[in-house]
């Protein structure tokens, strides 16, 4: 069969697959997809656009508890030693970071025990930017998930379900924690009922938020953390750049630290779309 | 055109592409590749096998300077606080980690400044296990690179060129540092002339070793570090599991930390093959 014939088939298969096609168009490269239903969301690494969903980490990065999460010390410097080397002291849950099941369980998976396959996920992006713009305490609800599914189809097995509340643009200022005069924070998160729906009705493995916590800021009981992490699913907090992601079809890649016994940690979160 | 027709074409295109086909066979999934020369090494995320090239990091992980590279402190624990949270103090160059250009230059790219596209690389694996088994001071030489190229074709643009010396299997004991009675270490690395050849004759962006340093252990001058990193290329040290990788055709994904001003850091190194 001639190459022209193959490429024509590829074009046929890609018609209507806006999210995937977008990545290819942006990369200016061509790619092929599998001609079976299993191909939904298939991304060719060499053809896809590489995206960085990670905030730069530094001493001033806002934290849940309001205290600096990292500090650094220069051990060697180029001028005096011929090379640069730093030592960092890091609270595991600082910056764009992963919550391992062990973070909210007695004996769940540590960050090093999460199966490698669970760090490569079809990404489902739930867009609540409009309601979050009018209500800092907004949550992803079961109705938001139902609306996503009716528009985009089922949540794929092994997916990471991400909340795009538009909060990542506030990371440089006080609005990211958005604490009131009583110190109560106000930012969006996942409603515990939506969390239970994902646990009971999907085979998703991860949850991501563009704010400081899986639970919205005013939560007093970490209800979403307790409903999600003990099921050996992981969470990502302070994810960046979801505005650049399609609602479906992208692949999330979580460069989580492989620290023995770690409860999570700053991660390099990337995507192929 | 019928799906059968497409799949037949896919099979045709994959014939002889042992490395890529291996990944697909292992994953038990099907995939398609672009019918152009540019498709060499193309990997479909959903069809590829996910591999972890990262050693687990812990207080006892061997280090270049021989002192522990990390320590931990429990800040909150599940029994008393209802959740677990640790604080780590980490020497940037511990475990499976990245050397950013800034590590051996006055003003090269910090780990946060490496372009995201340079963290997704075609992986070229140079196998020197046989000579390293007989000589702990062995190096990847220009002849090793020429032999690789004659057998596998040119080093792809944007590649990471990795040394598989078989040293990763010693990570649990003293043989990893392999210090003699004078404290001089003996482990394999890249010869400075091979390094210059990669800089002058290829568009590779990264170099990886399964030992403690880009330079072999007996080096007194970090010649390879100085020839490589100041060109705004990065290095990976203590990479694991290269035995499971094809000589060519895999995609390396480097989950490097995004620490402002960082000279490198423990990274989650993964591959699709």
């Amino acid at each position: 069969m001639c190459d022209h014939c193959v490429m024509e088939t590829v074009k046929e298969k890609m018609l209507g697959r806006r999210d995937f096609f977008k990545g290819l168009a942006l990369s200016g490269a061509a790619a092929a997809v599998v001609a079976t239903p299993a191909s939904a969301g298939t991304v060719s690494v060499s053809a896809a656009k590489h995206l960085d969903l990670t905030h730069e980490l530094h001493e001033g990065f806002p934290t849940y508890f309001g205290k600096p999460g990292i500090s650094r010390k220069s051990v060697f410097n180029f001028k005096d030693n011929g090379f640069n080397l730093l030592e960092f002291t890091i609270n595991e849950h600082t910056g764009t970071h992963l919550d391992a099941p062990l973070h909210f369980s007695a004996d769940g998976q540590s960050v090093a025990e999460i199966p490698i396959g669970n760090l490569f996920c079809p990404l489902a992006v739930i867009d609540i930017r409009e309601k979050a713009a009018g209500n800092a305490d907004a949550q992803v609800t079961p109705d938001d998930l139902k609306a996503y599914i009716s528009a985009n189809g089922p949540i794929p097995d092994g997916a990471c379900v991400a909340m795009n509340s538009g909060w990542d643009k506030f990371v440089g200022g006080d609005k990211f924690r958005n604490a009131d005069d009583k110190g109560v924070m106000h930012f969006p998160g996942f409603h515990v009922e939506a969390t239970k729906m994902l646990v009971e009705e999907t085979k998703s493995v991860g949850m991501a938020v563009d704010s400081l916590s899986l639970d919205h800021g005013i939560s007093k009981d970490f209800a979403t953390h307790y409903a999600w992490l003990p099921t050996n699913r992981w969470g990502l907090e302070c994810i960046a750049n979801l505005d650049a992601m399609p609602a479906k079809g992208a692949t999330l890649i979580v460069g989580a630290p492989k620290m023995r016994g770690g409860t999570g940690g700053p991660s390099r979160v990337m995507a192929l779309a």
Side-chain angles (χ1 to χ4, degrees), chain A:
Chain A
M1 189 190 310
C2 69
D3 284 356
H4 171 74
C5 171
V6 178
M7 294 314 295
E8 284 308 306
T9 311
V10 169
K11 287 178 197 160
E12 272 176 33
K13 298 297 172 187
M14 286 166 60
L15 279 178
R17 305 193 57 244
R18 184 193 143 283
D19 45 10
F20 183 32
F21 187 80
K22 181 182 165 203
L24 301 175
L26 285 165
S27 74
V33 294
V34 188
T36 75
S39 70
T42 295
V43 178
S44 160
V45 177
S46 63
K49 187 181 183 197
H50 307 127
L51 296 108
D52 192 356
L53 307 189
T54 317
H55 288 296
E56 186 177 62
L57 187 51
H58 56 87
E59 287 80 343
F61 197 93
T63 64
Y64 185 85
F65 291 108
K67 299 183 213 160
I70 74 164
S71 61
R72 75 181 69 199
K73 184 174 84 177
S74 172
V75 180
F76 296 104
N77 70 82
F78 192 75
K79 182 170 173 293
D80 301 329
N81 311 106
F83 64 98
N84 297 304
L85 189 151
L86 302 169
E87 180 181 87
F88 285 96
T89 297
I90 306 175
N91 173 308
E92 282 180 316
H93 296 269
T94 307
T96 299
H97 71 276
L98 188 122
D99 284 4
L102 183 60
H103 184 35
F104 270 75
S105 60
D107 56 6
Q109 291 166 346
S110 73
V111 68
E113 292 169 332
I114 296 170
I116 187 70
N118 287 9
L119 300 178
F120 289 81
C121 307
L123 180 63
V125 180
I126 315 298
D127 186 349
I128 65 161
R129 286 176 290 183
E130 189 171 343
K131 72 176 177 180
N135 173 18
D137 302 322
Q139 298 181 86
V140 173
T141 63
D143 284 347
D144 293 318
L145 296 180
K146 287 172 192 164
Y148 176 89
I149 291 165
S150 65
N152 300 289
I155 303 292
D157 292 355
C160 171
V161 181
M163 173 189 81
N164 182 7
S165 69
W167 221 253
D168 71 331
K169 65 177 176 292
F170 301 130
V171 76
D174 293 340
K175 181 71 182 282
F176 199 62
R177 298 185 75 247
N178 200 26
D180 61 26
D181 52 14
K182 291 176 183 151
V184 176
M185 295 182 285
H186 299 273
F187 54 74
F190 271 85
H191 192 290
V192 65
E193 291 304 327
T195 305
K196 290 176 181 172
M197 181 179 160
L198 290 173
V199 169
E200 292 160 10
E201 301 178 23
T202 76
K203 292 180 177 170
S204 53
V205 301
M207 172 186 284
V209 294
D210 57 358
S211 61
L212 268 169
S213 176
L214 303 180
D215 288 271
H216 63 166
I218 60 173
S219 170
K220 291 187 168 69
D221 57 10
F222 293 110
T224 290
H225 278 77
Y226 283 113
W228 186 253
L229 298 176
T231 68
N232 268 343
R233 290 174 169 85
W234 50 257
L236 274 172
E237 294 169 335
C238 306
I239 192 169
N241 204 23
L242 288 177
D243 289 4
M245 303 305 296
K248 67 174 180 178
T251 297
L252 185 75
I253 302 169
V254 184
K258 199 171 177 179
M259 194 70 76
R260 181 178 294 174
T263 75
S267 301
R268 189 58 173 267
V269 182
M270 302 171 279
L272 293 167

